[in-house]
Structures are given as structure tokens and as C-alpha cells.
Amino acid sequence: MDAVERRRVTVRGVVQGVGFRPYVYTRATGLGLAGHVTNTSEGVVAEVEGAPAAVSAFCERLAADAPPLAVVDAVDHHEVPASGGAGFTIVASRSGGPARTLVSPDVATCADCLAELADPADRRHRHPFITCTHCGPRFTIVTGLPYDRAHTTMARFPLCPACAHEYADPADRRFHAQPVACPDCGPRLRLLTGSPPRETAGADPVAEARRMLAEGAILAVKGLGGYHLACDAAHPAAVAELRRRKARGDKPFALMAREPADIEPLVHLGPAERDLLRGPDRPIVLLRRRPGATAGGLVADAVAPGSPDLGVMLAYTPVHHLLLGLPGDPPGPRLLVMTSGNLSGEPIVTDDNEALDRLARLADGWLTHDRPIHVPCDDSVVRVCDGEPLTLRRSRGHAPLPLDLPLPVPAALAAGGDLKNAFCLGEGRKAWLSAHIGDMDDLATQYAFERAEQQLESITGVTPGLLAVDRHPGYRSGRLVRGRAAGRPVVGVQHHHAHIASAMAENGEDGARRVIGFAFDGTGYGDDGAVWGGEVLLADYAGYTRFAHLAYVPLPGGDAAVHRPYRMALSHLRAAGLGWDPDLPCTAACPPEELRLLQRQLERNLHCVPTSSMGRLFDAVSSLAGVCHHAGYEAQAAVELECAALAGAGAGAGAGLATGPDGGYAFALHPGGPGGGVPVTADPAPVLAAVVADVRAGTPRTRIAARFHAAVADLVATLAVLARERHGLDTVALSGGVFANTLLSCACARLLRERGFTVLRHHRVPPNDGGLALGQLMVAARAPRHPQQGEGHVPGGTRQSA
């Protein structure tokens, strides 16, 4: 009798909803093996029985040949008693036990489905919900594990006989594809217009929606993770009206295109940018504009005023492809504005009834459907920096994929910050960053945080026993998590320490040696109660030393100075001993009465918390140079200063930015107090004096902007060399929202590498506060355990030392 062997195989990772069971079925039957495969909360579990050589062949390349959307973390197998029997089957999923598998992100419509969508002979021709094993909704429709149709929002749509046959056929591309449907059994698309909204009778919803968009209407379009607000990007009146209704200020809108050729006249497209645009996650990609990018009527000027980039994504759902038109369709919009369906600052709308209410003043109609969205998920945002991706918002297409950690952590929740909030769950060597939540100053966003936390805990199986928060006593994210601590320890983590720890963790640093961490951003609560933001920390996960920082200046009026950069410019001028002469752009921008009040405010130090923020220095120089005096969205003044610097540098990525003594501007360095007990201070007064001189000499603002960027890059290199000389460290981490500026980031990295440093930068995790929670997680995991840790605790302690 021939030898027979049976093995039980457990596969962990992103192996549900990606065609893994059909793959196992095909592989087993191809090798003549008997047995079965099923989904469990632990992962995909199979038992295979047959000739030992065939069983061994089955196990050997199971991970290497996995389906394209699968991410296999581990394959474990062991021998079990043979049981006989013939044939191989996919059996019903088993629930129960802690979740140990991973859910796939939502994936853009694949090429095979797009071909069927456009084929008049196919039964799914123009079907708005066409999908298969290799594409379509995943994370946003999952209601539980294991991943089966019954645990998705497709459970309400029973399969018709034709779809049921495909679902059960191992040779079919839709074999066990949970969202599978067709026009006979799937969700239904509707177009609602009027007040109260009513369904348009008789007309094809998509065709009517395209007609409305072409005529200048604004539509709420239901996507994978929420509603978008859409209009024709080439229709100036429609874009302006959408900006007014959404209270958007000058913040850029994202565009949606059918293919890269539609945007080539507008932006620079390199191989890395094309790969990002065409990838299965279909993020918004920030692309450098070509000169005169709004010429020719392709996009309205109001799409992205003052921005050096256009944010573009390619269509990623069948509805998007239908809206942009299939071959032979009547002419319609070539490019669509696609912005989150919400008022600025509110969470994205996902519920249909809520959309009819909250978007009533924003939209002229609703292109909606009856498949519920279980998990909100905004579009991800990325850009290319030195040929590599730089994630600015990690959401659709990425969440809930985990990140590998360089060190194990206990089951923990890190709350993140109050701007661009994303929280983080971690256990062992895995961390799960949530999808983008939003700004926590809105009550609806706080509710969204709570719902997202519960959902992510349910699909990861992580039950946090440790909580981490920002040390800022007023952060709503911190108050929310503290209020639900229920006796669990809460670790307060300093904001900029978390930024550096985030960069270290993403780059696989185990913390055995400290790094020289540059944390440049707009706002972070400092140990001394000041607003930090221009920090150089010698850091590991256990603690940090503040080696250097930007000189303190008053932040007059808090948020008023953020929204009106001329106030920051005037504060910096006064701190530098420079006059508020009327010929300076920032002085001219300040109304006379406000100027008098501001002078008294600074003289008496009223509502003037000190700040070392590099972000606020960018604001100040932007106004001083005459680039931007009013900020209608976060970092507008800095974004427009970067745009000007790009023109002045004559280079698209920082390679041509003039640095060094010939760059024009230089910071003064003050070594600190006696004995080295005080950090090095970087004084911008000489830079500001040089800017004033250039303004008066008539130097173009583009050149001033480029020289300022060069001065900041030189400062980073100089301080890194000084830290190496004093402390023997040779690894530099760059983090914080200022390093989303690729002109600056590339120049800093170049100078540092020329000086022999290893440079850690962000790629998959945002450098801004969207990546803060990962650093909080790592710092809190290394903190000593105290019965009651709160906002005053700093893991490892801090030392004010140079």
C-alpha cells in the first residue's frame, strides 16, 4: 500500500477576501490531494492528504505562489493522522476564538472586470458593482470575521442562480468572491434630486449624473468608504460654488481621471508617480504642476490655487469609470473634482439618510446605492520624494494592513493627536494604524474615533491593556481615551518624541542606539509648557534629550497667528530687533488697528505663549516675503512658500537647491548655558534680517523662498554634525509635518548623506500627526509601569542638555 501523509496547514496574514481558499483548492486538486480548506478567525486552515511528495510540494510554495492581493505572514503545518476519503472541498467558515487573521484593504477594479464592464455582450455590461476575487470592496464592508458574505454588508443581497454558480465554480474568477453580484441580484444605483430628494424616474442614473455634472451641478457620489462631492473640474463656476458651499477656503481639491494620459498636460509624471497612480490602492498622488497647468481649460484655476501640486487619483470603482464615460459614451467631464463628502473639519459621510441631511446644502443631487458602508475610509494621499513614496494620509487601500514592529509591544492603544487623527493598536510585533479619522475638535469626529476603535479591535483581536496619549493636557483625543481607561495605565508621550519614535519604528530601528531626531512641525506641547515645533532630540524609545531647538518667539493670540501669518512675521521681526516698517509686506497686510493692538499685546506679553515652531517660522517668512498673509487651511502659507521656492530653485525635487555659504541666508547658533545644561538655540534673526534686505532690494519672492529653504537645510546639516561631534551619533531621523515639504526633505537628506549620516525618513507612515500614534505606541511600550500614569509622565525622563 502506498504511503499516505496528512498535514494540517494554518496560513496567517491577509488571506481572507483575496481568493486564498480558491487558490488552496486549485493547488491541492492539481497535486491530487484530498482534504478541505476553511476560513477561521485564526486565518486560513487546510488539511491535505496524499502522497508525501505531493503534500510536501503543496506546503513548500504555498506562500510564494499566493494570489496577488494576499500578504502571507506565516505558514505553519504539522502532521495529523490520515483519515482517508477522496476529493478536496471548501467547507463552511468557522467562527469563534480570538481574531488572528488580517482583513484586506479595499482594492481598485481590476482589468478583467473593467473589460467586462465595457463589453456589451457580457451580462455585467455597465454593472456599477462589478467585482471579483481580485478587486472591489473589502475592509469597508466587513462586519465580522471570518470573512464570508454573511459577515459583510452584502449579506442582504441573496445570490441569483447565475452568480451562485460562479461563486461555487472553482474554475471561475468569482469563486468565493464575497461581494459578487450582478444586475439581477446586486445593489441598485439611484440618482436623487430635488427637495425633498426624489429618485429620477426612467433615466439611467449614471447617464443623468454625467449630464448634470457637465452642466455644472455638484453631486454627492457614494464611494467605497464614504460620499464624495463631485463636479466638473473644468467648469470654473461649479468649482467655485463647491468651494463656497464646502467652506473650503483655498485648500486644494483632488482630481479624478480615467487614465494618466488625461493629466499628462498638467503635471510631471515619472515612473514612480505612474506606479502609484496605477497601483491597486489608487491613492491621491500629489504631482508637481507643469508651468501653466490650468491653461487650455483642462482644470479651473480654483481647483488648487497657490499650490505647487495637483492631487490626482485614477478611477477605482465601476461607478467612477461609468461617470467618466466608457468608449462610445456621449462627451462628459474629462476630469472630476472629488472631495470628501462633508463640511470642512467634519468626518466623511457614510450613511445614506445622513448624506441626504448633512449634504443637502452642498449637493444638487445624490448618486447613491443600497450597499451599506460599514467602515468609513477617506482616500489616501501620497507623493514621491527622492523617487520613493511618501505617505501623507494613510487610509483607503492601506488600512487595516498592519506594520511590522522592530520590538514587541503589549496589547496597547495609542490615541494619536488632535489634527489628522489616526490611532494605533499594537500587540506583539504588529501595529495597526487606523484609517484617517480627522480633526478632533468636532464632536462627530470623536464619535467616529470611538466607532473606528471598536471596529478595529474586533477585526484584530487586540484588547488594549495599555493606553498612550499626547502629553498636551487639552487634547481631545487624550481626554477621550483617559475617560475610558477603566483602571488601565495611561502613558503620556511628548509630541515630538512620538514623531521621532514613529520614524524609527517605520525604519526598523530597535532603539539600541539613539538617533539625532529633527521634529519640525507647527504645534506640540513642550515639557516647559511652551509650544515646541523646531526640535532636535537625541532619542530612543525609552527617552530623549533636547539637544537643540529654534529660538522662542511669542505666539500672539494662538490660533489667530496661525490663521494670519502676518502676525507671526511681525512677532519674529520684533524678536529679531527689526522694525515694523510700512514697506514690508507683512506690515502692509496687517490692518492699522490690529497692528496697534498687536504691538501692545507683544509689549505686555498678553496671550503670547512662547513657541519654537519651525512651521510658524515658515508662516512668518511666507508673509514677510509677500507670498501668503492669510491661511484658509492648515499650512497654506508654508505650501505656497514651497511653491515659490520651487520656481526660485529651478528644480522639482530639491537637487538644485543652493545650500551652503553661497545659499544666502544662515541661522545663528547659541551654544547654551554654562556647563552645557541648556540646549543649543538656533536663532533665525540673521535669516529674517537677510529676508528684509532682499525684500527691499526687490529680490523676487521666489528667490527669497528658495534661499530660506536652503538655510533650513543647512541648519539641519550643521546641527547634525554638531550632535555627532558631541555624542558620537550618526543616524538622523526626519519627522513632523514640515518634512512633508519634499523640496526641504530632499535637500536635508542630500546634505546629511554627503556628510556620512544614515537618514531615516517616512514612506508608509505619515510624517505629520497622522503617524504620531505609531511613535506613541513604541514609547509607551518601553515606559516603566506606574499605578497611575498621566499627562505629566515622560517615559525615560528628559534632560535639557547640549
Side-chain angles (χ1 to χ4, degrees):
M1 182 175 179
D2 294 336
V4 173
E5 180 181 332
R6 189 178 184 93
R7 284 194 168 269
R8 190 174 195 269
V9 184
T10 301
V11 188
R12 296 180 178 86
V14 182
V15 291
Q16 296 186 11
V18 294
F20 207 89
R21 287 182 299 169
Y23 158 68
V24 169
Y25 175 95
T26 302
R27 186 175 181 84
T29 54
L31 291 167
L33 298 173
H36 57 80
V37 63
T38 186
N39 276 343
T40 74
S41 55
E42 194 177 10
V44 169
V45 177
E47 290 192 10
V48 291
E49 182 172 330
V55 171
S56 178
F58 174 88
C59 295
E60 279 178 2
R61 292 194 56 81
L62 192 63
D65 299 332
L69 298 182
V71 180
V72 177
D73 285 342
V75 178
D76 300 320
H77 52 87
H78 61 272
E79 192 168 351
V80 294
S83 61
F88 194 90
T89 58
I90 295 179
V91 301
S93 298
R94 302 200 307 266
S95 57
R100 284 295 180 267
T101 193
L102 307 175
V103 176
S104 167
D106 298 85
V107 181
T109 309
C110 69
D112 288 335
C113 283
L114 288 179
E116 294 171 347
L117 184 72
D119 183 2
D122 194 276
R123 74 186 190 93
R124 290 188 176 87
H125 178 229
R126 304 188 73 88
H127 176 48
F129 306 96
I130 191 168
T131 183
C132 71
T133 304
H134 305 303
C135 67
R138 298 291 191 275
F139 176 52
T140 55
I141 64 170
V142 169
T143 59
L145 290 178
Y147 177 74
D148 280 318
R149 194 178 182 95
H151 296 144
T152 73
T153 60
M154 289 296 294
R156 63 169 64 185
F157 301 100
L159 293 169
C160 69
C163 286
H165 176 76
E166 292 172 331
Y167 184 87
D169 181 2
D172 196 280
R173 197 173 85 252
R174 295 184 171 89
F175 183 43
H176 279 256
Q178 307 308 337
V180 66
C182 74
D184 294 332
C185 63
R188 191 169 71 89
L189 199 64
R190 299 183 300 155
L191 179 65
L192 307 177
T193 58
S195 182
R198 299 178 186 274
E199 184 172 359
T200 55
D204 172 17
V206 174
E208 181 64 13
R210 289 187 74 225
R211 183 193 65 77
M212 291 179 65
L213 288 168
E215 293 179 355
I218 297 168
L219 294 183
V221 179
K222 189 176 182 180
L224 290 180
Y227 277 82
H228 284 111
L229 292 168
C231 72
D232 183 353
H235 198 297
V239 175
E241 181 62 15
L242 176 56
R243 190 171 288 286
R244 185 193 67 79
R245 292 183 189 179
K246 193 173 160 71
R248 182 81 172 185
D250 288 333
K251 188 175 183 180
F253 284 129
L255 299 176
M256 178 172 281
R258 182 190 298 103
E259 56 189 355
D262 291 328
I263 56 171
E264 282 181 333
L266 301 172
V267 295
H268 295 281
L269 278 178
E273 287 84 359
R274 291 179 186 275
D275 288 346
L276 286 171
L277 283 168
R278 292 186 177 277
D281 47 328
R282 288 293 199 278
I284 297 170
V285 184
L286 299 187
L287 303 168
R288 292 295 190 208
R289 301 168 85 141
R290 294 183 184 275
T294 56
L298 291 177
V299 296
D301 291 340
V303 165
S307 172
D309 307 306
L310 287 177
V312 182
M313 58 183 157
L314 298 188
Y316 57 85
T317 72
V319 171
H320 297 152
H321 285 278
L322 292 169
L323 273 179
L324 288 165
L326 300 182
D329 279 350
R334 182 177 174 183
L335 297 173
L336 294 173
V337 166
M338 280 284 192
T339 186
S340 299
N342 54 9
L343 280 171
S344 292
E346 295 181 355
I348 191 170
V349 174
T350 57
D351 179 78
D352 298 331
N353 291 328
E354 191 178 4
L356 294 177
D357 178 29
R358 285 176 56 190
L359 304 182
R361 290 173 291 176
L362 306 180
D364 302 312
W366 292 258
L367 187 63
T368 185
H369 57 77
D370 53 350
R371 182 182 69 204
I373 297 170
H374 186 66
V375 184
C377 206
D378 273 287
D379 297 311
S380 293
V381 182
V382 301
R383 71 189 314 171
V384 172
C385 183
D386 278 341
E388 296 183 283
L390 169 61
T391 300
L392 301 179
R393 184 166 74 194
R394 188 180 184 274
S395 203
R396 179 187 50 77
H398 296 273
L401 290 178
L403 299 160
D404 293 326
L405 297 177
L407 294 170
V409 300
L413 165 68
D418 267 18
L419 296 177
K420 299 182 177 66
N421 180 268
F423 62 84
C424 187
L425 289 173
E427 186 172 16
R429 287 184 176 264
K430 295 289 184 186
W432 289 265
L433 273 171
S434 73
H436 171 77
I437 304 295
D439 294 348
M440 297 293 286
D441 55 357
D442 186 271
L443 190 59
T445 311
Q446 295 171 39
Y447 289 145
F449 180 106
E450 293 180 307
R451 293 193 300 271
E453 182 206 335
Q454 293 166 5
Q455 194 271 344
L456 194 56
E457 287 183 15
S458 73
I459 66 170
T460 61
V462 175
T463 302
L466 173 67
L467 307 175
V469 299
D470 192 281
R471 290 188 63 219
H472 195 300
Y475 266 17
R476 294 168 179 84
S477 55
R479 288 207 299 261
L480 187 67
V481 168
R482 286 191 193 95
R484 299 165 55 204
R488 293 175 289 181
V490 180
V491 176
V493 180
Q494 201 280 326
H495 189 92
H496 301 96
H497 188 198
H499 272 309
I500 301 305
S502 177
M504 291 173 62
E506 182 185 348
N507 285 277
E509 292 288 316
D510 64 7
R513 274 177 58 84
R514 291 185 298 173
V515 303
I516 307 167
F518 289 83
F520 288 175
D521 62 4
T523 300
Y525 186 74
D527 296 337
D528 53 4
V531 176
W532 288 8
E535 311 308 311
V536 187
L537 308 180
L538 309 182
D540 53 25
Y541 298 122
Y544 63 91
T545 296
R546 194 185 192 197
F547 174 77
H549 63 84
L550 202 61
Y552 285 135
V553 298
L555 181 68
D559 285 346
V562 176
H563 298 310
R564 285 171 269 176
Y566 60 78
R567 293 175 68 96
M568 209 62 238
L570 293 166
S571 179
H572 263 288
L573 287 176
R574 185 177 184 276
L578 300 169
W580 294 359
D581 299 321
D583 63 326
L584 297 178
C586 55
T587 308
C590 185
E593 181 57 30
E594 184 179 352
L595 194 67
R596 288 190 291 271
L597 291 173
L598 181 62
Q599 185 172 10
R600 289 198 294 270
Q601 184 178 9
L602 290 169
E603 287 171 351
R604 299 173 185 177
N605 199 30
L606 295 174
H607 305 295
C608 287
V609 62
T611 182
S612 59
S613 168
M614 182 62 78
R616 299 289 81 81
L617 179 60
F618 268 77
D619 291 351
V621 173
S622 186
S623 178
L624 180 57
V627 174
C628 178
H629 303 301
H630 296 84
Y633 62 91
E634 186 191 4
Q636 179 178 350
V639 167
E640 294 187 5
L641 189 68
E642 181 190 6
C643 183
L646 283 164
L657 190 63
T659 55
D662 296 330
Y665 305 154
F667 288 78
L669 295 183
H670 303 306
V678 176
V680 173
T681 301
D683 186 354
V687 172
L688 296 163
V691 172
V692 168
D694 269 355
V695 168
R696 288 183 170 142
T699 303
R701 64 185 65 177
T702 56
R703 188 65 186 136
I704 294 172
R707 287 176 173 173
F708 173 70
H709 279 72
V712 176
D714 278 331
L715 174 66
V716 168
T718 300
L719 288 172
V721 169
L722 186 60
R724 180 170 59 189
E725 290 172 351
R726 296 186 182 182
H727 299 281
L729 304 175
D730 56 9
T731 298
V732 174
L734 305 178
S735 191
V738 169
F739 287 110
N741 178 326
T742 55
L743 182 67
L744 177 67
S745 179
C746 294
C748 289
R750 175 174 58 83
L751 292 178
L752 290 165
R753 287 170 181 148
E754 287 173 355
R755 287 155 177 77
F757 288 99
T758 298
V759 182
L760 310 179
R761 288 191 289 177
H762 290 279
H763 299 292
R764 295 176 298 152
V765 176
N768 56 42
D769 284 7
L772 201 66
L774 176 63
Q776 292 173 345
L777 177 77
M778 295 301 295
V779 171
R782 312 269 84 77
R785 297 290 178 266
H786 299 298
Q788 291 185 337
Q789 290 178 351
E791 61 199 33
H793 175 72
V794 182
T798 64
R799 297 177 301 282
Q800 300 282 320
S801 172

